[in-house]
Amino acid sequence: MSWWLVRAALTEACLLTLPEVDELSPRMLGIDEHRFRSVRFFRDSESSSWIRHEPWMTTIVDLDTGQVLGVVDGRDHKGVGDWLFARPLEWRLGVQVVAIDPSAAFRKALRMWLPRTAVAVDHFHLVSLGNQAMTEARQNLSQQVKGRRGRGVDKAWAHRMLLLRAGDALSKTAAHRLAEVFAADDPTGKLQAVWKVKEQLRALLRTDSLADAAAAKEELNMRVQEAGRPETDKLYRTVCRWWNEIEVLIVTGATTGKVEANNTSIKHIKRTARGYRNAGNYKSVILMRSAVRTAA
């Protein structure tokens, strides 16, 4: 018997032990994207220009069990929306919370097909946006103050990763080095002000009640005004646009952690197979591996 027949038999046996996706509605969902293949460039036959193509796929996971429920093409609202539309109405009404990254496309699909479901934004992605604002501010301040990019002789550049670490988790030595960075390489005081904004965002996401979150948001607004930087202004606008989803995160604690774990497993699947050419086979293997793991 060939390996493909053995694998098909094992898949069928494992799937028989699991409830049908359309019959059992999960209480919490997680949605995140990953790359199916590497970035490629194709020449347009009409304009002869090169077109960048990023083959994204979106993973939909049951956050209660960690099982992959679906893998759809792209990372826009259409792929996720079509998948949700194919589910029965009773299934969709049973979903209470969906965790996503700050993706307007995913939120649009959820508002269309799961209008009664609470949406939570993942805290890891929000912290990442704060770190991105920190990095952009450091780079822009170097250009404005010194007229060049950072170098090894600059403490802000030499300790650039220290600026991204959690302030409350720094050792005494690391905290002393950070103070030296602000004292020696921050003549305008703006770098430290942006760092305080980043830390206040982390404090906001650690709150455990809506009242504390609202107070932390006011403190964040004050820090942003003190910084007076376009990077922090953009970050605060993002927080305001996603405030309802942040409140759901604080109340429910729903994150995309299990989706990220499945994306890591998907990367192992791709590496083991040395990549996939057929998207259908790729999705089947992902669903099979997830079903086997859940059944076990």
Side-chain angles (χ1 to χ4, degrees):
M1 183 180 294
S2 67
W3 160 243
W4 288 102
L5 293 177
V6 173
R7 194 174 75 169
L10 290 174
T11 303
E12 183 178 359
C14 292
L15 291 178
L16 287 175
T17 64
L18 296 174
E20 292 292 335
V21 173
D22 290 342
E23 293 180 0
L24 181 61
S25 175
R27 186 175 60 89
M28 302 174 67
L29 288 179
I31 302 175
D32 201 7
E33 74 278 359
H34 69 276
R35 274 198 178 100
F36 164 47
R37 302 178 71 171
S38 59
V39 177
R40 297 190 174 188
F41 293 86
F42 299 93
R43 184 183 291 274
D44 189 355
S45 58
E46 297 181 358
S47 62
S48 298
S49 60
W50 289 95
I51 301 175
R52 178 187 175 96
H53 177 65
E54 296 191 30
W56 291 93
M57 283 190 175
T58 300
T59 312
I60 304 169
V61 175
D62 183 350
L63 295 184
D64 295 322
T65 63
Q67 181 184 357
V68 177
L69 302 180
V71 182
V72 299
D73 295 329
R75 57 173 180 173
D76 54 4
H77 72 279
K78 186 178 184 306
V80 177
D82 291 345
W83 188 89
L84 292 173
F85 176 72
R87 310 276 79 75
L89 178 60
E90 294 78 11
W91 189 95
R92 282 181 274 156
L93 293 176
V95 180
Q96 299 177 9
V97 181
V98 181
I100 61 174
D101 60 4
S103 169
F106 293 163
R107 184 169 61 177
K108 179 180 179 180
L110 295 174
R111 285 177 176 175
M112 290 176 60
W113 301 112
L114 297 177
R116 299 182 180 181
T117 301
V119 180
V121 61
D122 184 65
H123 72 283
F124 171 81
H125 292 83
L126 292 174
V127 172
S128 178
L129 290 178
N131 288 341
Q132 180 181 346
M134 182 77 254
T135 299
E136 292 176 355
R138 174 183 58 79
Q139 294 171 344
N140 294 335
L141 284 170
S142 179
Q143 291 288 347
Q144 294 170 7
V145 175
K146 303 174 183 177
R148 57 172 174 79
R149 60 173 297 178
R151 298 175 182 172
V153 296
D154 304 326
K155 285 187 174 294
W157 189 91
H159 300 291
R160 60 193 182 279
M161 300 306 298
L162 185 61
L163 293 169
L164 305 182
R165 290 172 57 184
D168 55 350
L170 294 177
S171 63
K172 292 183 178 180
T173 303
H176 179 69
R177 287 202 304 267
L178 185 62
E180 289 181 345
V181 171
F182 295 140
D185 204 8
D186 186 23
T188 63
K190 294 294 184 180
L191 187 66
Q192 185 175 12
V194 174
W195 181 83
K196 290 180 179 179
V197 170
K198 186 261 295 184
E199 289 299 309
Q200 181 59 30
L201 176 61
R202 294 183 62 256
L204 187 156
L205 297 175
R206 288 198 306 270
T207 57
D208 53 5
S209 69
L210 295 181
D212 293 342
K217 183 183 178 184
E218 292 295 329
E219 179 71 16
L220 177 65
N221 185 22
M222 184 182 68
R223 296 287 187 186
V224 169
Q225 293 178 359
E226 291 175 355
R229 293 290 306 175
E231 301 86 2
T232 53
D233 293 341
K234 178 182 177 182
L235 177 64
Y236 185 71
R237 288 195 299 269
T238 301
V239 171
C240 292
R241 285 197 300 267
W242 289 87
W243 184 246
N244 292 335
E245 289 76 12
I246 292 175
E247 288 184 331
V248 175
L249 166 67
I250 293 171
V251 172
T252 64
T255 69
T256 61
K258 291 186 178 180
V259 191
E260 299 291 352
N262 275 286
N263 284 343
T264 301
S265 299
I266 289 171
K267 291 179 181 178
H268 292 321
I269 292 174
K270 288 191 295 185
R271 289 167 183 161
T272 302
R274 302 297 190 269
Y276 282 86
R277 295 182 180 180
N278 188 298
N281 292 341
Y282 175 68
K283 296 177 184 178
S284 298
V285 173
I286 293 174
L287 295 173
M288 181 197 70
R289 292 284 184 90
S290 179
V292 170
R293 185 169 59 250
T294 304

